[in-house]
Amino acid sequence: MTEVHGAVDRPAQAGPVHDRPDGQDGEARVRELLGRMTIEEKVAQLVGFWEKEDGEAVAPLQGEFGDVVKLEDFSRHGLGHLTRAYGTRPVEAAARASWLWKFQSDLVTGTRLGIPAIVHEECLTGLSAWKAATFPTPLAWGAAFDPELVTEMAAAIGASMRDLGIHQGLAPVLDVIRDPRWGRVDECIAEDPYLVGTVGTSYVRGLQSQGVHATLKHFAGYSASRAGRNFAPVHAGPRELADVLFIPFEMAILDGNARSVMHSYAEIDGVPVAADPTMLTGVLRDRWAFDGTVVADYYGVAFLNLLHHVAGDHAEAAGQALTAGVDIELPTGDAYLTLRETVRAGKLDEALIDRAVLRVLRQKLDLGLLDATFTDEPPQAVDLDSPEHRSIARRLAEKSIVLVANRDMLPLAPGRRVAVIGPNADRQGALFGCYSFLNHVLVQHPDVDTGIEVPTVLDAMRDEFGADHIILARGCDVDSDDRSGFDEAVATASAADVAVLVVGDHAGLFGRGTVGEGCDRDDLELPGVQRELIETVLATGTPVVLVLLTGRPYAVDWALARCAAVVQAFFPGEEGAGAIAGVLSGRVNPSGKLPVSLPTSAGAQPYSYLHPTLGEGNEVTNLSSTPAAPFGHGLSYSTFEHAGLTVPATVPTDGALPVTVRVTNTGAVAGDDVVQLYGRDLVASVTRPVAQLLGYRRVHLEPGQSVTVELTVPTTRLAFADRTLTRVVEPGDVELWVGTSAQRDTQASTTLVGDTVPVTNASARWTTSELS
């Protein structure tokens, strides 16, 4: 059995939504089409249109913008993108599809060139549409360490998009977590760039296998903002960009053939990415040969004028972004609609517009849109939350739950009286991230049903243990100072054999949540009075199982020391409550691993396990950054032994490192182990991390079963930007270890020998694995 977490060869490009005619040269065709376009028709291909209503706010500063014309007038010369036709408000999919087919047909028959629009939607935790399946948040994908399952999930999302006439999804987020105080942590996969790259590229492959295009977000540096504040300046050096922040994007483009990239809102050392040709052209296109489209993050072009103040008006902002390499302005044309007059005034070379239009036309050709007629019938009924969707959601949720601590309390013995306490115990929104339809859109439509079945943790506990064994007390809100429910919580806990406290976050937008876009923190304590609630219940003497339903890691080292067990669930989606209850009962053997270090304090941030020697407290400082639980940590109801780690004494710098380790389930129940291989470059021309994930493999073992895991690690997994900022593999000694986290377990060493080798696009980037 062989598992390849990626491959150097690119998979086929996303297939067509509609049939393409045979015998035509695509490049000649799009160039001929460009040659017939007026300047108005060209600019129309470079903008989106978003049909919004008053009061809807799902993008930053959305209220500052507004379409001043109707869609029919706006699109009279054609249209590049139609923004969120399904995901702006709750609409019945079949009715909206009928409207969409009619609109596209009108573009085909009612405009001179007859080019349909690309329809894009958010799809981070599932298609962002009413009644669509909602999967675990990306931080849970990272915790699952299962790229193949993420591919399966993304393929299911892509199939739903394709059926509804949606062509492009605004996902995955490939920002590497740098500071857990940042509100958008729940949208990210991990603090390790290789884990982000393998899982994120797997999402791209799954989505694009269905004939739709993925969009990589947010290129680049967005997550490295100062103090974890959204939109704050980024001061990442070129080495941090090259060795950490660029890596997932490089993998998704070179190995996943991602067809679209969204620029970051960030400014890096004073230069906004949206206006930086060294990033959007130099890195993306010249270095990585990216040939897809670059789209603006919503209003990101106008922000060059309004927020960054590097442009005096929207016209100047449009010129800077287009020159840098932003092909399409989303969600509307607030800035790019000025391009026509700028060209006519002789202030901008029309060739820059032609460059972007050609990229858009190539994308539409790839998607089959240049031949689409929309004379076929739109879908009459689409099951967006089928049993297949729910099966994937359940399996991914179960694999993502992390058992952080356990003092022989879990699994809970049957027949015990369980007090279920906490603000997230009986709340559907507690299971979903910021970009879920429920928390992103439905929160603004309180009279509309959820549209999908979402058992709460309380519901799942009653099903798992029997309703007569479960008693409930809410205790407090997620984020208020109201302690009026404490007495009830104490009485409920005192009457029970064990108290399950379900606490954590509420995901929202721009201050409407405790985590999510624009919901940053200046501390890492649990929001509101939740810590007080936990301590009050602990004081009763009833054993406490703490369940954290969050979108970021919190500083809960105090709870690890005092609670009978601690379970971390990162917004596990529509099937997440059942996964949590299954872990508590033992029906599910937990196997999730922390994709981000569990901090001890906000003052130690930003922190990453990828730190050099001086990045962690030692005798030279009185402040320690040591996390409460390390990256990769997660317990099981089984125990696993790693033995017989073998590596060759020497490996060529331009070769691959074969590693084998024997894994045995020494426990009494079947379970999954995530074999994690780490390395450390002992002496290099620049400082290197004390630990670096080189590869991983999830394996399922029955009690007493053993398996040999063979990992083949390309030496480029140890590459870094040297003093000339050239990414190279240097000769020298390397320590290796396999363990259940970044902390050392079974150890070995090797030496890379030969010349210093530069890394190229053709270099292998993925560790492969086999079982024997």
Side-chain angles (χ1 to χ4, degrees), residues 159-404:
S160 294
M161 293 170 57
R162 180 196 63 223
D163 291 344
L164 293 178
I166 302 164
H167 312 104
Q168 185 168 336
L170 303 187
V173 172
L174 299 185
D175 295 299
V176 179
I177 297 169
R178 305 301 279 169
D179 192 327
R181 294 173 295 182
W182 189 47
R184 303 194 76 167
V185 166
D186 87 277
E187 299 178 50
C188 302
I189 294 168
E191 72 180 72
D192 178 85
Y194 182 67
L195 183 56
V196 176
T198 51
V199 172
T201 301
S202 297
Y203 180 97
V204 169
R205 288 173 170 167
L207 198 79
Q208 295 192 164
S209 72
Q210 301 302 305
V212 297
H213 287 177
T215 305
L216 311 182
K217 297 162 57 172
H218 307 85
F219 185 76
Y222 189 26
S223 58
S225 59
R226 280 192 169 182
R229 291 189 298 110
N230 200 35
F231 277 61
V234 172
H235 292 278
R239 186 166 289 105
E240 182 179 354
L241 285 168
D243 291 344
V244 178
L245 300 174
F246 282 172
I247 296 299
F249 293 93
E250 180 183 34
M251 295 174 72
I253 289 169
L254 294 177
D255 302 323
N257 194 26
R259 306 310 303 140
S260 187
V261 173
M262 176 180 282
H263 77 73
S264 164
Y265 284 134
E267 61 168 85
I268 301 178
D269 198 23
V271 179
V273 173
D276 188 354
T278 63
M279 291 272 285
L280 300 183
T281 298
V283 175
L284 274 182
R285 299 193 185 275
D286 297 342
R287 187 187 304 177
W288 295 337
F290 173 67
D291 60 357
T293 57
V294 175
V295 302
D297 203 345
Y298 282 16
Y299 308 116
V301 178
F303 287 165
L304 295 175
N305 169 28
L306 298 175
L307 296 182
H308 295 295
H309 302 295
V310 296
D313 55 28
H314 280 10
E316 188 177 343
Q320 289 188 29
L322 187 71
T323 301
V326 178
D327 301 310
I328 302 162
E329 183 182 15
L330 299 180
T332 62
D334 295 276
Y336 272 19
L337 288 178
T338 66
L339 289 172
R340 178 187 61 184
E341 297 305 321
T342 303
V343 167
R344 286 177 172 167
K347 297 179 181 179
L348 185 73
D349 188 346
E350 190 171 349
L352 289 170
I353 292 179
D354 291 350
R355 179 182 73 174
V357 172
L358 280 172
R359 292 168 181 166
V360 175
L361 293 178
R362 291 183 191 120
Q363 183 181 16
K364 291 188 174 184
L365 179 70
D366 286 346
L367 290 165
L369 282 170
L370 296 188
D371 301 300
T373 62
F374 290 92
T375 56
D376 57 321
E377 287 296 317
Q380 300 301 308
V382 179
D383 189 351
L384 300 178
D385 190 28
S386 67
E388 177 194 5
H389 287 91
R390 298 201 74 98
S391 171
I392 297 169
R394 175 185 54 77
R395 285 180 281 135
L396 186 52
E398 290 177 352
K399 290 185 175 183
S400 73
I401 306 298
V402 182
L403 180 58
V404 182

Side-chain angles (χ1 to χ4, degrees), residues 522-545:
D522 58 7
D523 64 44
L524 288 173
E525 290 290 337
L526 289 169
V529 294
Q530 293 184 82
R531 176 172 178 172
E532 289 183 47
L533 173 67
I534 299 165
E535 292 180 330
T536 299
V537 174
L538 281 167
T540 67
T542 301
V544 169
V545 174

Side-chain angles (χ1 to χ4, degrees), residues 367-702:
L367 290 165
L369 282 170
L370 296 188
D371 301 300
T373 62
F374 290 92
T375 56
D376 57 321
E377 287 296 317
Q380 300 301 308
V382 179
D383 189 351
L384 300 178
D385 190 28
S386 67
E388 177 194 5
H389 287 91
R390 298 201 74 98
S391 171
I392 297 169
R394 175 185 54 77
R395 285 180 281 135
L396 186 52
E398 290 177 352
K399 290 185 175 183
S400 73
I401 306 298
V402 182
L403 180 58
V404 182
N406 187 23
R407 290 181 171 77
D408 296 325
M409 175 55 64
L410 298 180
L412 294 175
R416 308 187 78 181
R417 189 164 176 80
V418 181
V420 178
I421 300 170
N424 281 344
D426 193 25
R427 196 171 64 83
Q428 291 180 327
L431 299 165
F432 300 137
C434 171
Y435 268 76
S436 66
F437 192 78
L438 187 149
N439 285 330
H440 201 70
V441 177
L442 277 187
V443 68
Q444 300 179 66
H445 301 270
D447 297 330
V448 178
D449 292 338
T450 302
I452 56 176
E453 183 181 349
V454 185
T456 66
V457 174
L458 175 66
D459 297 330
M461 291 290 287
R462 285 171 171 164
D463 288 343
E464 194 80 27
F465 294 96
D468 56 339
H469 290 93
I470 303 298
I471 47 179
L472 171 70
R474 188 161 177 269
C476 66
D477 300 321
V478 169
D479 193 20
S480 79
D481 59 1
D482 183 0
R483 299 170 178 80
S484 60
F486 279 26
D487 288 345
E488 182 189 11
V490 166
T492 303
S494 298
D497 300 313
V498 61
V500 174
L501 266 69
V502 190
V503 301
D505 276 320
H506 169 63
L509 286 167
F510 314 122
R512 300 197 296 267
T514 58
V515 72
E517 186 173 0
C519 297
D520 312 312
R521 305 288 293 185
D522 58 7
D523 64 44
L524 288 173
E525 290 290 337
L526 289 169
V529 294
Q530 293 184 82
R531 176 172 178 172
E532 289 183 47
L533 173 67
I534 299 165
E535 292 180 330
T536 299
V537 174
L538 281 167
T540 67
T542 301
V544 169
V545 174
L546 183 63
V547 176
L548 298 161
L549 264 174
T550 71
R552 63 159 60 87
Y554 281 99
V556 290
D557 51 319
W558 55 272
L560 300 183
R562 298 174 59 193
C563 293
V566 177
V567 174
Q568 174 68 65
F570 294 113
F571 293 147
E574 64 184 20
E575 291 284 336
I580 291 169
V583 165
L584 298 185
S585 73
R587 175 176 53 82
V588 175
N589 191 350
S591 58
K593 305 294 181 181
L594 289 174
V596 61
S597 305
L598 204 63
T600 52
S601 73
Q605 307 307 313
Y607 171 89
S608 168
Y609 93 96
L610 292 166
H611 61 267
T613 300
L614 292 181
E616 187 169 299
N618 53 31
E619 63 272 12
V620 302
T621 175
N622 64 317
L623 297 177
S624 173
S625 299
T626 303
F631 172 87
H633 169 74
L635 303 178
S636 169
Y637 299 145
S638 305
T639 53
F640 298 96
E641 179 183 76
H642 304 113
L645 179 61
T646 61
V647 298
T650 61
V651 175
T653 50
D654 61 353
L657 176 64
V659 178
T660 62
V661 64
R662 192 73 172 166
V663 185
T664 303
N665 182 348
T666 56
V669 295
D672 284 13
D673 182 32
V674 178
V675 177
Q676 303 168 51
L677 174 66
Y678 293 88
R680 181 183 184 184
D681 190 340
L682 293 180
V683 178
S685 58
V686 300
T687 61
R688 301 299 298 136
V690 297
Q692 177 185 354
L693 182 67
L694 300 181
Y696 61 91
R697 176 65 189 263
R698 175 181 276 271
V699 295
H700 179 80
L701 296 171
E702 296 295 322

